[in-house]
Amino acid sequence: MGLLRYESQTRNPLVTGHKTYHQVTEDIVRPIEAKPSKLWKIGFTISLFLLSFGAYSVYRDVVYGIGQWNLNKTVGWGWDITNFVWWVGIGHAGTLISAILLLFRQGWRTGVNRAAEAMTIFAVMCAGQFPIFHMGRVWNAFFVLPYPNTRGPLWVNFNSPLLWDVFAISTYFTVSLLFWYAGLLPDLATVRDRAKEKWRKRMYGVLSFGWTGSTKHWQRHESLSLVLAGLSTPLVLSVHTIVSFDFATSVIPGWHTTIFPPYFVAGAIFSGFAMVQTLLLIVRKVLSLEDYITLEHIEVMNKVIVLTGSIVGIAYITELFISWYGQNPYEAAAFRNRWDITTPLAWSYYLMMSCNVLSPQIFWFRKMRRNITVTFFMSIIVNVGMWFERFVIIVTSIYRDYLPSSWSTYYRPTIWEVGFYMGTFGLFFTCFFLFSKFFPVIAIAEIKHILKKSGESYKEGVGGIETQAPEEFAHEQAHAH
């Protein structure tokens, strides 16, 4: 069995620090069993404050109407839909790490998949707020659900990509939640078995659904993981494709382009991985998990960032080329509103280009990929750039339409639009802080699964095999048995 678990020495260990199975459990469960640290309390308080401000901004929107936002004649979609697309994109890395990399049997996913999956769920919760409250009359939001009703001929428009969004995102949320929770079951049972307080034992007992760790349980768990991974894989590609259809199926110059689906998917994975880096670099430091979220994990994720960033860069250049090559004067005018430095919003286009295309190229250098400070700074720069990408697509395509008399002077969000956005940050981080306090941030069972193959002490133990002559190795094996 030892030979089947052998891994080449050229691969860096994924668990450093000569860990035993017991130490893995101790290290990951310690933050749950300990009292909240001062840093955790400060962060949680700030998140609750942002959430409260966001709740008040939403209250203003519901009571006084969409007029509280600075939307006008030409800019009908502003900050809200920009934020919606941005948050949906943030969630994509979690599903990619948990589903596609599980199917490809990538060992490095084990250190980061749990936090990335949680991030997906919280990001989709934040994204869902924007289209709902953009309706204005939010109490009629259930009209988007196609069910037999007594409203006469009033029925949803199945030709509308906005309706497809409802189906895609609700499916995405449901499958991601199941995937995340199914993975948590063995770890919740570990926390339950270690619990000393009665309330803690009872709470984790209920949450772990009576998991005992029997062979049958593990067999069903493995089967369920593979089925959910199979269901999630097309969702990674389809959800942001359908979000891109919100624009691509319209006739607005600057939106009506066929490159949007692959370009949006690459951008979503790009921004999602950047957010995973931002969160995990903080979690790794605050919870002292450097042995499980190693430089190897950080480097691999930076490789994904430079790849997807380059794909997004090619998409930008392709768009510019087609706007010239297609000889459509309206499309050419829409793109001129972006790149022409004399137009009011050109600065946002150049900010997007520098953040998304130029800055990630630093990761071609191994030293930079393995530098914690550079990675943290770049992860924030990438997400700033990806926010501006959505802003550029939405606002610069519509703020100057066919009627110059109705051109917007300049689109600026109101305090309540900004407040709503800040509120979703509050919701996201409140959920993430609670998750990091009550659930294992790293999948204990999965780390143990790769420990004998990719753990530092085990790799050192089998390191001599590569330099041994075949005859000598065979002789040793014969004596061992």
Side-chain angles (χ1 to χ4, degrees), residues 14 31 39 56 101 110 118 134 136 139-140 156-157 168 171 230 237 246 294 316 407 436 458-459 461:
L14 294 172
L39 273 176
Y56 181 68
L101 298 183
T110 52
H134 191 274
W139 48 91
N140 289 336
V156 291
N157 178 11
T171 307
L237 305 172
D246 293 350
T294 64
Y316 293 160
W407 284 5
S436 67
Y458 294 94
K459 283 182 81 75

Side-chain angles (χ1 to χ4, degrees), residues 86-88 90-91 94 114-130 172-173 176-177 180 184 275 279 423-437 439 441:
W86 186 78
W87 274 118
V88 173
I90 292 289
R114 174 69 50 75
E117 286 167 28
M119 188 191 83
T120 294
I121 293 158
F122 306 147
V124 173
M125 282 163 57
C126 293
Q129 311 295 316
F130 290 98
Y172 185 51
F173 179 75
S176 299
L177 186 67
W180 174 70
L184 269 169
M275 192 64 154
L279 287 177
T424 52
F425 272 105
L427 175 64
F428 181 85
F429 284 107
T430 300
C431 291
F432 198 84
F433 276 116
L434 289 171
F435 158 71
S436 67
K437 183 69 199 84
F439 296 113
V441 176

Side-chain angles (χ1 to χ4, degrees), residues 151-213:
R151 296 191 291 273
L154 189 62
W155 195 247
V156 291
N157 178 11
F158 284 101
N159 292 329
S160 168
L162 296 173
L163 182 70
W164 309 341
D165 264 350
V166 174
F167 299 143
I169 288 168
S170 55
T171 307
Y172 185 51
F173 179 75
T174 308
V175 173
S176 299
L177 186 67
L178 284 172
F179 207 159
W180 174 70
Y181 199 80
L184 269 169
L185 289 175
D187 295 356
L188 291 172
T190 302
V191 180
R192 172 201 67 197
D193 295 342
R194 289 168 55 94
K196 293 180 175 64
E197 301 95 330
K198 209 170 185 178
W199 67 268
R200 191 183 283 272
K201 213 169 186 66
R202 186 169 294 166
M203 181 177 90
Y204 288 105
V206 170
L207 290 174
S208 59
F209 289 169
W211 176 276
T212 60

Side-chain angles (χ1 to χ4, degrees), residues 16-90:
T16 58
H18 301 87
K19 302 291 181 186
T20 62
Y21 286 134
H22 178 65
Q23 282 173 309
V24 170
T25 308
E26 286 291 329
D27 290 346
I28 298 173
V29 178
R30 192 192 321 112
I32 301 171
E33 294 175 341
K35 287 187 174 175
S37 65
K38 194 176 180 182
L39 273 176
W40 188 91
K41 287 176 181 171
I42 292 167
F44 189 62
T45 307
I46 294 168
S47 301
L48 282 177
F49 172 74
L50 287 174
L51 181 57
S52 307
F53 182 49
Y56 181 68
S57 302
V58 168
Y59 162 79
R60 301 269 313 190
D61 168 38
V62 173
V63 173
Y64 299 107
I66 297 293
Q68 293 290 297
W69 296 350
N70 220 4
L71 303 179
N72 49 46
K73 277 185 206 168
T74 46
V75 182
W77 282 358
W79 262 52
D80 52 318
I81 302 298
T82 301
N83 298 336
F84 160 68
V85 181
W86 186 78
W87 274 118
V88 173
I90 292 289

